[in-house]
Structures are given as structure tokens and as C-alpha cells.
Amino acid sequence: MRIEGSVAVVTGAASGIGKALAEQLALAGARAVVVSDIDAEGAERVASAIDGDTLAVRTDVADEASVRELVARTRERFGDVDLFVSNAGLTVTGSFDASDDDWKRALDVNMMSHVYAARAVLPAMLEAGRGHLLQTIAACGVLTAFGAAPYSVAKQGAVAFAEYLAVEYGGRGIGVSCLLPQAVDTPMLAASVADNEQLALLKEHSEVLTPRQVALAALAGVEENRMHIFTHRGSADSFRLRADDADKWVAEMRAIRSGRP
């Protein structure tokens, strides 16, 4: 996947990582960048500030019809999508006793949105024999997040779906990447740790990167066609430990969860 000359769509791009991804895509030479968010005014602000050919589209990623409309408007203006960045997400806290509505909201936004994106863009990509899906998921997609069962489960489902797509369609010219950051200086992180002491513990054990740092790592990973794009020191090591010795990994996570060093 080459960013230069591509048509790229970014959801959740009104702020945070999505905004940085849209900006860096333009700087990397994308032919067109579509800035999408449920916050229409925010998407418009980001698009208008980017030097290049842009389009702002209001999209609710939990609504398949809205995602299809986003892709249709992109094709009408710029042609087929080369890179679809499923970046929109939200934190849903709670444990096994979280409400059904909370579980559904977490799954719709953090997992089913990737399914809807694939349905909208994969047929044309497969016909062309090229295309890339970049899914912003979070490190908890291969690890876990304290105090946020719906969020963790949805993110792990998103990773499983991305891996399925890579296995099924990677031989037909389709690239798939999971962006797996930990703490990033975004409004979503600030709101999450303010409302949840358990998530705040994870932030204390992670360096906090800027959205631009994460976006640069993401685009490098896309061009290298990497499946898992880790952005923070220690994430990959923890993932390997989880695979090699799940009991030891659980014990280490429990220690962090209890506040022990």
C-alpha cells in the first residue's frame, strides 16, 4: 500500500487520532482525504484546514446505511477507496453487569463498524485486486482494559475480524492492519480516565503519546502492510507474554489492577 496518490477515508476524524491521521495522510501525498465523523461541524473544520483535496461527511459508524452513504459520496467525488481507516470508537465501561444497551453500543461502534466498512468497500477492492483496511482498535484488543468489559470484548472482536479478513483476502491484494495504541493524549482518554479509576491505572503504566506520533506509526505500518501496529513500548512484549504464559500475564495484570508495582 502506497499512501501517495491514494484516496483515503477516515472515520472519527473530527479530533484525536482520526484528525491526526487525516492530516498526515494529506502530508504523505494522498490524492484525496475524506474526513468523516458523527460531529459534522468538527469534520468540516478538520477538512477545511487540510491543504489538499478533501471532503467532510457526517457518518454514524454504528449505522450501516450511513457507512454506505459515506463510501458512495467518496466514490462519486474521487473514485474508488484505496484506504479505509475505521478509526471511530468509544469507551464503554462496566463489568459483566453492564446493561444490554451498553454492550450493544460498545459492539456496534467498536466492532460492527468494521464489518460495515468491509461490506461497503471490500467488493470493489477485491475486483481491483488492491486496497487496505486500517482499523484503529487499541492495545486492549490483544490485551484487556480494566473496568471496561464491553469495550475490551468489542475491541478483541474487532481484532479477530481484522485477522480473519487478512487470512481470507490477503492473497487477493487486500491489506489489513490493526492500530493498537495505549494511552494517547485525546479528549476520549481524558474523559475515560476521569470517569473510571481502573482505566486511570492503565494510563499510569503507559507513556502518553500524541495523536501525531500514533498517526505516523500507523501510516508507516500500513505502507509495510503490518497486521499489528503497536505504538507503545511494552505492548508487544505483553502480547507475547499473554500468548506464551497466560497465567503469568494474568498475574501481572492483576498486580497492576490492585495498584501493586
Side-chain angles (χ1 to χ4, degrees):
M1 173 73 205
R2 285 184 57 81
I3 303 299
E4 187 176 1
S6 66
V7 174
V9 177
V10 187
T11 67
S15 64
I17 295 172
K19 175 176 180 288
L21 282 164
E23 293 167 344
Q24 293 306 314
L25 280 163
L27 290 172
R31 177 168 68 84
V33 179
V34 179
V35 180
S36 167
D37 202 283
I38 198 167
D39 173 6
E41 291 183 0
E44 200 67 63
R45 281 194 301 272
V46 172
S48 64
I50 290 175
D51 185 13
D53 210 349
T54 63
L55 174 67
V57 180
R58 184 192 182 278
T59 306
D60 178 358
V61 297
D63 177 2
E64 184 171 7
S66 186
V67 176
R68 288 191 178 276
E69 175 65 16
L70 165 63
V71 173
R73 289 186 60 185
T74 300
R75 286 183 178 140
E76 182 181 356
R77 175 81 172 267
F78 302 118
D80 283 339
V81 177
D82 299 301
L83 172 63
F84 194 99
V85 184
S86 293
N87 173 77
L90 83 168
T91 304
V92 180
T93 58
S95 186
F96 62 88
D97 53 355
S99 70
D100 286 358
D101 285 346
D102 280 349
W103 279 98
K104 186 177 187 306
R105 188 161 55 99
L107 291 165
D108 283 349
V109 175
N110 295 315
M111 188 185 77
M112 289 306 298
S113 62
H114 303 299
V115 178
Y116 299 152
R119 288 175 181 170
V121 299
L122 260 183
M125 287 181 174
L126 287 167
E127 186 175 346
R130 60 182 175 79
H132 203 103
L133 303 174
L134 171 62
Q135 303 184 352
T136 301
I137 296 177
C140 72
V142 293
L143 301 170
T144 194
F146 304 149
Y151 180 72
S152 295
V153 171
K155 293 293 189 177
Q156 294 197 24
V159 170
F161 180 62
E163 291 172 341
Y164 166 83
L165 293 177
V167 170
E168 193 77 9
Y169 301 112
R172 297 175 60 183
I174 305 302
V176 185
S177 298
C178 299
L179 180 59
L180 303 168
Q182 288 182 247
V184 184
D185 187 14
T186 65
M188 188 168 119
L189 175 69
S192 297
V193 299
D195 293 341
N196 190 295
E197 292 181 3
Q198 296 165 24
L199 285 175
L201 279 171
L202 286 175
K203 179 187 175 185
E204 290 175 9
H205 286 79
S206 171
E207 59 185 325
V208 179
L209 300 183
T210 66
R212 180 178 180 274
Q213 288 174 301
V214 172
L216 289 172
L219 298 191
V222 166
E223 292 209 317
E224 294 167 7
N225 197 27
R226 274 189 274 138
M227 178 76 250
H228 292 160
I229 304 173
F230 290 103
T231 60
H232 286 64
R233 289 190 299 268
S235 295
D237 290 338
S238 188
F239 179 46
R240 282 188 288 269
L241 176 61
R242 179 190 179 197
D244 292 342
D245 190 341
D247 294 323
K248 183 176 180 181
W249 173 76
V250 167
E252 289 191 359
M253 294 298 284
R254 283 177 182 156
I256 296 172
R257 170 69 180 80
S258 65
R260 298 195 304 270

PDB file of all heavy atoms in Angstrom, residues 236-252:
ATOM      1  N   ALA A 236       3.823  -4.964  22.763  1.00  0.00           N
ATOM      2  CA  ALA A 236       4.114  -6.219  22.054  1.00  0.00           C
ATOM      3  C   ALA A 236       4.661  -7.267  23.012  1.00  0.00           C
ATOM      4  O   ALA A 236       4.336  -8.459  22.895  1.00  0.00           O
ATOM      5  CB  ALA A 236       5.100  -5.961  20.917  1.00  0.00           C
ATOM      6  N   ASP A 237       5.487  -6.830  23.977  1.00  0.00           N
ATOM      7  CA  ASP A 237       6.025  -7.783  24.958  1.00  0.00           C
ATOM      8  C   ASP A 237       4.898  -8.395  25.788  1.00  0.00           C
ATOM      9  O   ASP A 237       4.893  -9.596  26.065  1.00  0.00           O
ATOM     10  CB  ASP A 237       7.023  -7.080  25.888  1.00  0.00           C
ATOM     11  CG  ASP A 237       8.305  -6.693  25.170  1.00  0.00           C
ATOM     12  OD1 ASP A 237       8.611  -7.305  24.128  1.00  0.00           O
ATOM     13  OD2 ASP A 237       8.987  -5.772  25.645  1.00  0.00           O
ATOM     14  N   SER A 238       3.934  -7.570  26.197  1.00  0.00           N
ATOM     15  CA  SER A 238       2.809  -8.075  26.970  1.00  0.00           C
ATOM     16  C   SER A 238       1.965  -9.038  26.143  1.00  0.00           C
ATOM     17  O   SER A 238       1.477 -10.066  26.641  1.00  0.00           O
ATOM     18  CB  SER A 238       1.951  -6.905  27.461  1.00  0.00           C
ATOM     19  OG  SER A 238       0.963  -7.333  28.368  1.00  0.00           O
ATOM     20  N   PHE A 239       1.805  -8.727  24.866  1.00  0.00           N
ATOM     21  CA  PHE A 239       1.062  -9.603  23.956  1.00  0.00           C
ATOM     22  C   PHE A 239       1.759 -10.962  23.824  1.00  0.00           C
ATOM     23  O   PHE A 239       1.111 -12.017  23.858  1.00  0.00           O
ATOM     24  CB  PHE A 239       0.950  -8.906  22.605  1.00  0.00           C
ATOM     25  CG  PHE A 239       0.232  -9.700  21.543  1.00  0.00           C
ATOM     26  CD1 PHE A 239      -0.972 -10.339  21.804  1.00  0.00           C
ATOM     27  CD2 PHE A 239       0.748  -9.777  20.258  1.00  0.00           C
ATOM     28  CE1 PHE A 239      -1.645 -11.049  20.814  1.00  0.00           C
ATOM     29  CE2 PHE A 239       0.086 -10.483  19.271  1.00  0.00           C
ATOM     30  CZ  PHE A 239      -1.106 -11.114  19.539  1.00  0.00           C
ATOM     31  N   ARG A 240       3.090 -10.925  23.687  1.00  0.00           N
ATOM     32  CA  ARG A 240       3.835 -12.187  23.591  1.00  0.00           C
ATOM     33  C   ARG A 240       3.727 -12.988  24.875  1.00  0.00           C
ATOM     34  O   ARG A 240       3.580 -14.213  24.852  1.00  0.00           O
ATOM     35  CB  ARG A 240       5.296 -11.911  23.241  1.00  0.00           C
ATOM     36  CG  ARG A 240       5.536 -11.593  21.773  1.00  0.00           C
ATOM     37  CD  ARG A 240       7.009 -11.530  21.444  1.00  0.00           C
ATOM     38  NE  ARG A 240       7.638 -10.338  21.995  1.00  0.00           N
ATOM     39  CZ  ARG A 240       7.735  -9.193  21.318  1.00  0.00           C
ATOM     40  NH1 ARG A 240       7.234  -9.091  20.088  1.00  0.00           N
ATOM     41  NH2 ARG A 240       8.317  -8.146  21.854  1.00  0.00           N
ATOM     42  N   LEU A 241       3.810 -12.298  26.030  1.00  0.00           N
ATOM     43  CA  LEU A 241       3.685 -12.991  27.313  1.00  0.00           C
ATOM     44  C   LEU A 241       2.310 -13.621  27.439  1.00  0.00           C
ATOM     45  O   LEU A 241       2.174 -14.761  27.917  1.00  0.00           O
ATOM     46  CB  LEU A 241       3.928 -12.019  28.473  1.00  0.00           C
ATOM     47  CG  LEU A 241       3.745 -12.593  29.885  1.00  0.00           C
ATOM     48  CD1 LEU A 241       4.722 -13.741  30.121  1.00  0.00           C
ATOM     49  CD2 LEU A 241       3.933 -11.503  30.935  1.00  0.00           C
ATOM     50  N   ARG A 242       1.294 -12.915  27.023  1.00  0.00           N
ATOM     51  CA  ARG A 242      -0.071 -13.459  27.074  1.00  0.00           C
ATOM     52  C   ARG A 242      -0.157 -14.761  26.281  1.00  0.00           C
ATOM     53  O   ARG A 242      -0.812 -15.719  26.705  1.00  0.00           O
ATOM     54  CB  ARG A 242      -1.045 -12.431  26.514  1.00  0.00           C
ATOM     55  CG  ARG A 242      -2.501 -12.887  26.499  1.00  0.00           C
ATOM     56  CD  ARG A 242      -3.351 -11.906  25.713  1.00  0.00           C
ATOM     57  NE  ARG A 242      -4.744 -12.342  25.676  1.00  0.00           N
ATOM     58  CZ  ARG A 242      -5.633 -11.873  24.818  1.00  0.00           C
ATOM     59  NH1 ARG A 242      -5.272 -10.971  23.929  1.00  0.00           N
ATOM     60  NH2 ARG A 242      -6.877 -12.300  24.839  1.00  0.00           N
ATOM     61  N   ALA A 243       0.493 -14.788  25.104  1.00  0.00           N
ATOM     62  CA  ALA A 243       0.454 -15.987  24.272  1.00  0.00           C
ATOM     63  C   ALA A 243       1.301 -17.117  24.856  1.00  0.00           C
ATOM     64  O   ALA A 243       0.914 -18.285  24.815  1.00  0.00           O
ATOM     65  CB  ALA A 243       0.936 -15.652  22.860  1.00  0.00           C
ATOM     66  N   ASP A 244       2.470 -16.748  25.407  1.00  0.00           N
ATOM     67  CA  ASP A 244       3.408 -17.768  25.893  1.00  0.00           C
ATOM     68  C   ASP A 244       3.059 -18.300  27.275  1.00  0.00           C
ATOM     69  O   ASP A 244       3.271 -19.480  27.574  1.00  0.00           O
ATOM     70  CB  ASP A 244       4.830 -17.197  25.925  1.00  0.00           C
ATOM     71  CG  ASP A 244       5.383 -16.917  24.529  1.00  0.00           C
ATOM     72  OD1 ASP A 244       4.825 -17.482  23.561  1.00  0.00           O
ATOM     73  OD2 ASP A 244       6.334 -16.133  24.423  1.00  0.00           O
ATOM     74  N   ASP A 245       2.571 -17.418  28.152  1.00  0.00           N
ATOM     75  CA  ASP A 245       2.301 -17.813  29.533  1.00  0.00           C
ATOM     76  C   ASP A 245       1.133 -16.980  30.058  1.00  0.00           C
ATOM     77  O   ASP A 245       1.325 -15.971  30.741  1.00  0.00           O
ATOM     78  CB  ASP A 245       3.551 -17.594  30.385  1.00  0.00           C
ATOM     79  CG  ASP A 245       3.442 -18.203  31.778  1.00  0.00           C
ATOM     80  OD1 ASP A 245       2.299 -18.465  32.218  1.00  0.00           O
ATOM     81  OD2 ASP A 245       4.488 -18.400  32.429  1.00  0.00           O
ATOM     82  N   ALA A 246      -0.071 -17.414  29.723  1.00  0.00           N
ATOM     83  CA  ALA A 246      -1.260 -16.643  30.071  1.00  0.00           C
ATOM     84  C   ALA A 246      -1.406 -16.462  31.574  1.00  0.00           C
ATOM     85  O   ALA A 246      -1.865 -15.408  32.042  1.00  0.00           O
ATOM     86  CB  ALA A 246      -2.513 -17.313  29.500  1.00  0.00           C
ATOM     87  N   ASP A 247      -1.013 -17.478  32.361  1.00  0.00           N
ATOM     88  CA  ASP A 247      -1.140 -17.366  33.811  1.00  0.00           C
ATOM     89  C   ASP A 247      -0.245 -16.262  34.360  1.00  0.00           C
ATOM     90  O   ASP A 247      -0.666 -15.483  35.225  1.00  0.00           O
ATOM     91  CB  ASP A 247      -0.789 -18.706  34.477  1.00  0.00           C
ATOM     92  CG  ASP A 247      -1.800 -19.795  34.135  1.00  0.00           C
ATOM     93  OD1 ASP A 247      -2.997 -19.478  34.044  1.00  0.00           O
ATOM     94  OD2 ASP A 247      -1.381 -20.943  33.954  1.00  0.00           O
ATOM     95  N   LYS A 248       0.979 -16.192  33.845  1.00  0.00           N
ATOM     96  CA  LYS A 248       1.897 -15.145  34.300  1.00  0.00           C
ATOM     97  C   LYS A 248       1.386 -13.770  33.865  1.00  0.00           C
ATOM     98  O   LYS A 248       1.447 -12.798  34.635  1.00  0.00           O
ATOM     99  CB  LYS A 248       3.296 -15.384  33.738  1.00  0.00           C
ATOM    100  CG  LYS A 248       4.325 -14.387  34.225  1.00  0.00           C
ATOM    101  CD  LYS A 248       5.718 -14.722  33.706  1.00  0.00           C
ATOM    102  CE  LYS A 248       6.750 -13.711  34.204  1.00  0.00           C
ATOM    103  NZ  LYS A 248       8.116 -14.019  33.672  1.00  0.00           N
ATOM    104  N   TRP A 249       0.864 -13.689  32.657  1.00  0.00           N
ATOM    105  CA  TRP A 249       0.331 -12.419  32.168  1.00  0.00           C
ATOM    106  C   TRP A 249      -0.846 -11.959  33.029  1.00  0.00           C
ATOM    107  O   TRP A 249      -0.914 -10.801  33.431  1.00  0.00           O
ATOM    108  CB  TRP A 249      -0.106 -12.564  30.710  1.00  0.00           C
ATOM    109  CG  TRP A 249      -0.810 -11.352  30.184  1.00  0.00           C
ATOM    110  CD1 TRP A 249      -0.253 -10.170  29.808  1.00  0.00           C
ATOM    111  CD2 TRP A 249      -2.222 -11.192  30.016  1.00  0.00           C
ATOM    112  NE1 TRP A 249      -1.215  -9.279  29.402  1.00  0.00           N
ATOM    113  CE2 TRP A 249      -2.442  -9.884  29.517  1.00  0.00           C
ATOM    114  CE3 TRP A 249      -3.324 -12.027  30.214  1.00  0.00           C
ATOM    115  CZ2 TRP A 249      -3.718  -9.402  29.235  1.00  0.00           C
ATOM    116  CZ3 TRP A 249      -4.599 -11.537  29.925  1.00  0.00           C
ATOM    117  CH2 TRP A 249      -4.785 -10.241  29.444  1.00  0.00           C
ATOM    118  N   VAL A 250      -1.754 -12.876  33.349  1.00  0.00           N
ATOM    119  CA  VAL A 250      -2.901 -12.526  34.195  1.00  0.00           C
ATOM    120  C   VAL A 250      -2.427 -12.053  35.566  1.00  0.00           C
ATOM    121  O   VAL A 250      -2.944 -11.074  36.126  1.00  0.00           O
ATOM    122  CB  VAL A 250      -3.863 -13.724  34.328  1.00  0.00           C
ATOM    123  CG1 VAL A 250      -4.882 -13.478  35.441  1.00  0.00           C
ATOM    124  CG2 VAL A 250      -4.583 -13.969  33.015  1.00  0.00           C
ATOM    125  N   ALA A 251      -1.413 -12.729  36.119  1.00  0.00           N
ATOM    126  CA  ALA A 251      -0.897 -12.333  37.429  1.00  0.00           C
ATOM    127  C   ALA A 251      -0.311 -10.921  37.382  1.00  0.00           C
ATOM    128  O   ALA A 251      -0.524 -10.119  38.304  1.00  0.00           O
ATOM    129  CB  ALA A 251       0.164 -13.326  37.896  1.00  0.00           C
ATOM    130  N   GLU A 252       0.408 -10.601  36.294  1.00  0.00           N
ATOM    131  CA  GLU A 252       0.980  -9.264  36.167  1.00  0.00           C
ATOM    132  C   GLU A 252      -0.125  -8.210  36.025  1.00  0.00           C
ATOM    133  O   GLU A 252      -0.033  -7.125  36.618  1.00  0.00           O
ATOM    134  CB  GLU A 252       1.930  -9.203  34.973  1.00  0.00           C
ATOM    135  CG  GLU A 252       3.232  -9.971  35.189  1.00  0.00           C
ATOM    136  CD  GLU A 252       4.257  -9.689  34.109  1.00  0.00           C
ATOM    137  OE1 GLU A 252       3.950  -8.901  33.183  1.00  0.00           O
ATOM    138  OE2 GLU A 252       5.364 -10.245  34.189  1.00  0.00           O
TER     139      GLU A 252
END
